[in-house]
Amino acid sequence: MAKSAEEKAREWLDEQKRLPRPGSRFPIEPERAAAAAGVELSGVLHVSPGELAPHPLNQRYFLPETADYFEKLTADIKERGILVPLICRMDGVILAGHNRWKTARELGLEKIPVQKVIDELSLEKEKEFLIKDNLLRRQLSSEEKKKLILELYGEEIGNLQKGGDRGNQYTGGKVHVN
């Protein structure tokens, strides 16, 4: 006898419940996973929040979020757990996920999902990692974004040699004004 759509959905859901999830208590082997940016990451590990520490540059570049933001984040983590692993160096210094870490500590979570950067990053690369991760995720003002972009690309922006003669191939490099 063919299974109904409801039976198939229930079986699928039961199977999903058996699979390990970030924030769950199932052990996950620390296999390596490649990140899109070319940074090699470990598989998802479940570690105590006490084993992690904030990156000192995070406070320099980012203002603390509002109490309203943390209320919403806390409610979400209470309901669903931490779904996106934090990213940290091998020594436990956080590169991405400071607010989730802070909330996990306040909630007294025993374990949280983390991926560790296997590659050795220079301080410049760590700074780039911190800024780029937050530049896209946070609700930043245009002034805050401008400061971060200048922090990342200030020297390159200063070296641009654009402007001057606005001619083109048809005018022989000269601007003709009538």
Side-chain angles (χ1 to χ4, degrees), residues 159-167 173 175:
N159 291 334
L160 291 176
Q161 298 296 320
K162 295 199 173 196
D165 192 351
R166 299 277 187 198
V175 175

Side-chain angles (χ1 to χ4, degrees), residues 22 31-35 39-47 52 83-90 92-96 100 112-118 129:
E31 55 196 46
R32 293 180 175 206
V39 176
E40 192 173 2
L41 300 173
S42 72
V44 177
L45 308 167
H46 290 86
V47 303
L52 305 177
L83 302 177
V84 177
L86 286 69
I87 298 179
C88 67
R89 297 187 320 212
M90 292 300 281
V93 174
I94 301 168
L95 296 171
R100 286 171 279 150
I112 58 175
V114 171
Q115 286 185 286
K116 293 189 176 188
V117 175
I118 295 169
F129 197 105

Side-chain angles (χ1 to χ4, degrees), residues 32-149:
R32 293 180 175 206
V39 176
E40 192 173 2
L41 300 173
S42 72
V44 177
L45 308 167
H46 290 86
V47 303
S48 166
E51 294 176 36
L52 305 177
H55 197 291
L57 291 178
N58 195 63
Q59 275 189 311
R60 177 177 173 188
Y61 297 126
F62 302 103
L63 296 171
E65 291 286 357
T66 64
D68 183 54
Y69 170 87
F70 277 108
E71 284 176 27
K72 290 175 182 171
L73 182 60
T74 300
D76 185 58
I77 290 175
K78 279 181 180 177
E79 180 183 336
R80 302 184 316 141
I82 295 178
L83 302 177
V84 177
L86 286 69
I87 298 179
C88 67
R89 297 187 320 212
M90 292 300 281
D91 64 358
V93 174
I94 301 168
L95 296 171
H98 288 82
N99 292 329
R100 286 171 279 150
W101 171 74
K102 180 181 175 185
T103 302
R105 287 176 54 112
E106 289 174 2
L107 289 172
L109 298 181
E110 291 179 24
K111 300 284 184 184
I112 58 175
V114 171
Q115 286 185 286
K116 293 189 176 188
V117 175
I118 295 169
D119 299 332
E120 191 71 33
L121 299 178
S122 67
L123 186 58
E124 197 61 33
K125 284 290 185 188
E126 286 184 17
K127 178 177 89 169
E128 182 180 323
F129 197 105
L130 281 163
I131 291 174
K132 285 183 175 181
D133 182 65
N134 285 286
L135 199 55
L136 298 175
R137 293 177 187 233
R138 286 193 177 214
Q139 300 298 319
L140 300 172
S141 70
S142 57
E143 191 59 36
E144 289 170 317
K145 287 180 182 178
K146 180 180 175 182
K147 284 180 185 176
L148 291 172
I149 290 168

